[in-house]
């Protein structure tokens, strides 16, 4: 049975790696805070690119839950999460209201999950 003792070289390497990665992450984030604290105006090219970051992050978080790998295309398209997500997306696009989007998406999900596909 392996235990991580004080003299275990693998445990020391793991802790060193965690420490180095933590310092690098902190330094990377601090560099942006420091950089944008000194820059008076963000360049136009950077501003244009940064405008798409929220949509890209939202897509990266939502799309994997909506699209599943099913045995057939019909089973994928009939998934209640995809249908509710599309309805919520339409509401978000038409109303630009976050609360309405959440309400419609959740009601559609619950309707399809507990009534239609039950």
């Amino acid at each position: 049975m392996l235990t991580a003792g004080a003299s275990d070289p693998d445990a020391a390497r793991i802790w060193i790696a965690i420490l180095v990665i933590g310092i690098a992450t902190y330094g990377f984030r601090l560099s942006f805070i420091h950089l944008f604290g000194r820059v008076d105006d963000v360049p136009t090219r950077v501003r244009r690119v940064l405008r798409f970051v929220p949509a890209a992050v939202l897509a990266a978080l939502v799309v994997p839950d909506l699209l599943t790998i099913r045995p057939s295309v019909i089973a994928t398209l009939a998934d209640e999460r995809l249908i509710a997500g599309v309805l919520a997306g339409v509401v978000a696009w038409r109303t630009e209201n976050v609360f309405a989007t959440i309400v419609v998406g959740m009601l559609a999900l619950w309707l399809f999950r507990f009534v239609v596909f039950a």
Side-chain angles (χ1 to χ4, degrees):
M1 182 165 139
L2 295 173
T3 59
S7 63
D8 189 9
D10 289 334
R13 278 190 232 147
I14 290 171
W15 280 109
I16 290 171
I18 290 171
L19 186 64
V20 168
I21 291 169
I23 290 171
T25 301
Y26 182 76
F28 185 69
R29 292 178 186 210
L30 185 63
S31 69
F32 277 102
I33 293 170
H34 182 70
L35 173 70
F36 284 115
R38 291 181 177 262
V39 174
D40 293 331
D41 190 31
V42 177
T44 306
R45 291 180 70 185
V46 174
R47 185 177 294 131
R48 230 182 348 217
V49 171
L50 289 176
R51 192 177 62 185
F52 296 106
V53 169
V57 169
L58 180 65
L61 293 172
V62 171
V63 170
D65 276 341
L66 294 181
L67 299 178
T68 60
I69 299 173
R70 296 285 176 111
S72 68
V73 174
I74 300 298
T76 301
L77 294 176
D79 188 21
E80 68 267 3
R81 293 177 297 175
L82 180 61
I83 297 169
V86 168
L87 287 174
V90 168
V91 170
W93 175 55
R94 299 294 273 164
T95 66
E96 295 182 6
N97 185 339
V98 175
F99 184 71
T101 302
I102 293 170
V103 168
V104 168
M106 289 306 299
L107 287 176
L109 180 65
W110 292 338
L111 175 74
F112 285 110
R113 183 168 286 173
F114 299 120
V115 177
V116 177
F117 295 130

